[in-house]
Amino acid sequence: MGTPESSSSEDCPFCLIANNQADTDILLTDDELVCFRDMKPGATHHYLVVTRTHVDSCKSLREDDIPLVERMVEMGRSILEKNKVSDLDDVRMGFHVPPFSSVPHLHLHALAPASTMSFKSQLHYGPQSHWFITVSDLHLSMETGVCQQNCMSNFSSIPLLIYYLLSI
């Protein structure tokens, strides 16, 4: 699985959550994944699916990690369905590309409905965001070894970058 730093990192908030050492409501869980609500939701439904084993980011993943990403997506879909999200075509699922991750631990964002996300949320998670990679683009990157979004070198708007940096 990618290149895990270790099975746990003492100062990583997601490792603490995954190991039940934080006051966070776990919504779904299995042997390798944990799902909970995002503290700063970007949509009506905004959930995070994190690995129990500490993996720094999506940039650490390789082709043989595709099944892990697929299991993360399945858990993201499951929590959306459990919370009565009926239009699974109006969903954004993906990962922030470092250095634009608020927590350096692999985590999938599952957001719905995507069509009602605010302007600020669109900057963070929308189709025009240069620091959010969708699951399908990540799959392609993992298969080819080439980052589809040039992994952060594709900023077409420096003001958007500055806005993002000031908002985190």
Side-chain angles (χ1 to χ4, degrees):
M1 172 187 350
T3 52
E5 261 313 287
S6 64
S7 61
S8 177
S9 179
E10 290 180 15
D11 57 347
C12 174
F14 289 170
C15 286
L16 295 174
I17 292 169
N19 291 308
N20 295 317
Q21 297 174 344
D23 187 27
T24 301
D25 289 331
I26 305 298
L27 304 174
L28 288 176
T29 186
D30 65 21
D31 290 341
E32 68 180 338
L33 303 172
V34 174
C35 178
F36 52 92
R37 294 182 196 285
D38 192 295
M39 286 178 38
K40 296 179 182 177
T44 304
H45 298 276
H46 187 168
Y47 307 100
L48 300 178
V49 178
V50 305
T51 55
R52 287 186 179 276
T53 302
H54 187 90
V55 177
D56 286 336
S57 73
C58 61
K59 288 179 77 172
S60 302
L61 300 174
R62 302 293 174 252
E63 186 175 5
D64 59 337
D65 294 315
I66 289 174
L68 170 65
V69 173
E70 290 170 350
R71 289 188 297 275
M72 293 177 83
V73 169
E74 181 54 39
M75 185 173 278
R77 285 191 193 285
S78 293
I79 194 63
L80 291 170
E81 289 171 352
K82 184 178 177 181
N83 285 280
K84 310 281 190 259
V85 173
S86 56
D87 186 1
L88 294 179
D89 291 328
D90 191 18
V91 169
R92 293 282 296 166
M93 283 202 206
F95 303 85
H96 280 117
V97 178
F100 302 106
S101 300
S102 57
V103 177
H105 181 126
L106 182 67
H107 57 283
L108 170 79
H109 291 265
L111 300 103
S115 60
T116 63
M117 290 192 313
S118 69
F119 175 73
K120 183 177 177 182
S121 292
Q122 288 289 339
L123 288 175
H124 288 265
Y125 312 102
Q128 302 305 314
S129 174
H130 295 289
W131 46 82
F132 186 80
I133 186 168
T134 64
V135 170
S136 58
D137 283 345
L138 179 63
H139 271 258
L140 194 54
S141 296
M142 292 165 69
E143 290 169 353
T144 63
V146 178
C147 183
Q148 299 305 304
Q149 294 182 333
N150 298 323
C151 293
M152 170 188 121
S153 62
N154 193 20
F155 283 99
S156 59
S157 173
I158 296 301
L160 287 178
L161 171 60
I162 293 168
Y163 176 83
Y164 174 80
L165 292 173
L166 292 174
S167 70
I168 56 173

